Amino acid sequence: MTVSVLVPSSLVREADRREATRKLGQVARAATVFRVDRLTVYPDPEGERGNDGFVETVLRYAATPPHLRKEAWGKRDELEHVGVMPPLRVRSQTGSGPGSSGSSRQGIVTEVGADGRVRVNCGLQHPVSLPVPSGMATPSEGERVTVRISSREPVRAKLVDEPAPGFVVDTTDLDVALAREDAGTTIASSRHGEQLRPGRLERLGTRCREADGGLAYTVAFGAPERGLPAIRGLDPDAVREGRETGGFDLWLNTVPHQGSEVVRTEEAMFATLACLNLME
């Protein structure tokens, strides 16, 4: 299954830095709970209000494992209030069988040797020297890598060419993100979309299924007082009637009959991903 989430750079446009950091912590938490693979920040310069780069920086920090944050980030003004963010507690990937036993965690390459080995800080007492597997490109200093640890005393670990647990953060234009080869079915989360019902969820699962039987979908969200129709320059009535799509395969309202005038982005993420997580 491949799940991507798109959020705008204007996501925290109404909040001060402390509240904005807390809000982004909830976004990162939702991405972790529902096993999002990629969290993309797309530019919305008209709505940013001076937060250029802040959203991406804080989300990248959140996606960094706690044991690597100090070395990877040091001290930065954008990270002043990261103490208010909830812990993500990403589950490690546990292997099975004699060839893949152990748990995976991220590490940072601290030194690249000339002998086909690299030193990696992966949260053990000291950095470990590991050979680069055959067929894997030699990582550069400062690059994050995946290490499979099978024993801590004595240390037994190896570098593996596989995705690390958790999600990655990037930034790109919305149109580019929607056109990615692995985007799958592209969904706009909006109160102007079609109301999601149990029967509709079953049909949606069929639509999101890939040739290999797995699910692949991308979900986009808007910003406070600036939903996706406004960001895409669309008429909400035209979206509701299906006359305009803004480049999405479908528009979904996952909080029908909402009791609040506004559903916050972080709330919409939990509601939407919880529903889509039920697809089979």
Side-chain angles (χ1 to χ4, degrees), residues 46-83:
E46 292 185 26
E48 281 179 6
R49 295 183 179 176
N51 283 315
D52 184 31
F54 176 78
V55 171
E56 181 187 1
T57 297
V58 175
L59 288 177
R60 284 187 184 274
Y61 175 88
T64 304
H67 63 277
L68 298 178
R69 287 174 177 171
K70 183 176 181 180
E71 181 169 344
W73 292 97
K75 291 186 177 180
R76 299 183 58 164
D77 291 343
E78 302 98 314
L79 305 177
E80 179 182 3
H81 300 292
V82 292

Side-chain angles (χ1 to χ4, degrees), residues 174 178 185-196 200 204 207 220-222 227-236 238-254:
L174 183 54
L178 294 178
T185 300
T186 56
I187 302 168
S189 177
S190 171
R191 64 189 177 92
H192 301 291
E194 177 187 351
Q195 293 186 0
L196 184 58
R200 182 72 176 88
L204 181 59
R207 182 169 185 174
F221 297 87
L228 281 170
I231 290 175
R232 297 298 273 171
L234 304 176
D235 179 358
V239 169
R240 190 178 297 110
E241 296 166 5
R243 292 184 284 109
E244 293 184 332
T245 66
F248 293 94
D249 292 324
L250 66 155
W251 290 68
L252 285 181
N253 177 4
T254 57

Side-chain angles (χ1 to χ4, degrees), residues 200-267:
R200 182 72 176 88
L201 189 62
E202 183 176 350
R203 296 194 301 274
L204 181 59
T206 300
R207 182 169 185 174
C208 293
R209 197 165 304 283
E210 300 284 273
D212 62 1
L215 296 173
Y217 55 89
T218 296
V219 191
F221 297 87
E225 300 179 359
R226 187 170 169 78
L228 281 170
I231 290 175
R232 297 298 273 171
L234 304 176
D235 179 358
D237 290 332
V239 169
R240 190 178 297 110
E241 296 166 5
R243 292 184 284 109
E244 293 184 332
T245 66
F248 293 94
D249 292 324
L250 66 155
W251 290 68
L252 285 181
N253 177 4
T254 57
V255 191
H257 311 300
Q258 63 190 57
S260 174
E261 290 185 7
V262 176
V263 175
R264 296 173 179 173
T265 304
E266 64 273 28
E267 297 168 338

Side-chain angles (χ1 to χ4, degrees), residues 132-137 143 145-148 158-164:
V132 178
S134 176
M136 177 179 174
E143 185 175 343
V145 293
T146 302
V147 177
R148 185 171 291 278
K158 63 180 180 179
L159 204 61
V160 292
D161 191 7
E162 64 180 37

